[in-house]
Every structure is written in C-alpha cells, then in structure tokens.
Amino acid sequence: EVQLVESGGGLVQPGGSLRLSCAASGFAFSSSSMSWFRQAPGKGLQWVSSIDSGGGRTSHADSLKGRFTTSRDNAKNTMYLQLNSLKIEDTAMYICAKGWYWVGSQVTDVRGQGTQVTVSS
C-alpha cells in the first residue's frame, strides 16, 4: 500500500521553528521526487517546495525562501521540512505528496493526510 504519513506539527510561537517529517512506504521513495504543500483555513492548497529524488535539487515558493528548507533521507524513506522564523500566516495543514510540483499546481499523485502547524502567541 502506498502511504505518506506526516508528523512534527504543533503549536509554536511567532519566530519559532519546527521540523516536519514525511514517512513514505509502498513505493520506490529513493527514485521519486517529493513535494510539500500547505492549506490554511478557508484557503486552497498552496505549493511549498519540491525536492528531486537524490536531494540535490530543491525548489521553494518565493515567499518562503530563506525560512523553509526541504531535505530528505533516502535510507529512512523520509522527507523533511524545516520551518524557521515562523509567522502567524504560516498556520496551516502541511501535506506531503509524491512528485515534483510548482507554484499553482495541484497534487495529481499520492498525498498524505497532513500535520497541523499553528503559529500563535
């Protein structure tokens, strides 16, 4: 069964950090590009970042560059999203997906259920 499971979300104060994880199973993770999306309350799915199969190439939404970093560990079948200098507007459900995406695109392959990040003082 193809499965993506996110973890690491939580409640954090503005300016804080979190590291999200996406554990993959049921497919050739090390041969697959992966992506992060987020969905804020009442809003549509927003592409956050993508990483190629080897982890050597990443792409991030322009508005998030410098604060968010995407990485992966193919030995652990896991992708990560490091969130730094968090802002209230970063509050959202963070969802990982199989495949390479870009700004404005929608998920067309398997995706996880998401992990909630809430930024609040």
Side-chain angles (χ1 to χ4, degrees):
E1 177 189 5
V2 176
Q3 196 170 21
L4 295 172
V5 179
E6 302 91 338
S7 61
L11 174 64
V12 62
Q13 292 186 338
S17 297
L18 282 174
R19 189 177 81 153
L20 308 183
S21 298
C22 170
S25 60
F27 66 97
F29 180 79
S30 61
S31 300
S32 302
S33 296
M34 297 292 294
S35 296
W36 285 100
F37 287 79
R38 69 183 184 181
Q39 187 164 23
K43 296 189 176 181
L45 203 61
Q46 177 192 13
W47 172 74
V48 172
S49 68
S50 293
I51 186 168
D52 71 357
S53 60
R57 182 168 71 107
T58 60
S59 181
H60 293 80
D62 285 345
S63 61
L64 304 176
K65 286 180 181 177
R67 296 195 300 121
F68 289 11
T69 304
T70 303
S71 62
R72 64 191 295 162
D73 185 341
N74 285 344
K76 296 182 178 180
N77 280 6
T78 302
M79 175 178 64
Y80 304 98
L81 182 65
Q82 179 69 40
L83 315 175
N84 294 330
S85 302
L86 282 162
K87 304 176 181 180
I88 291 176
E89 52 264 39
D90 293 320
T91 294
M93 182 72 74
Y94 285 73
I95 299 159
C96 65
K98 179 175 175 287
W100 182 277
Y101 295 94
W102 49 90
V103 61
S105 61
Q106 294 296 307
V107 178
T108 57
D109 206 328
V110 64
R111 52 175 281 183
Q113 294 296 310
T115 186
Q116 178 68 38
V117 172
T118 301
V119 185
S120 175
S121 56

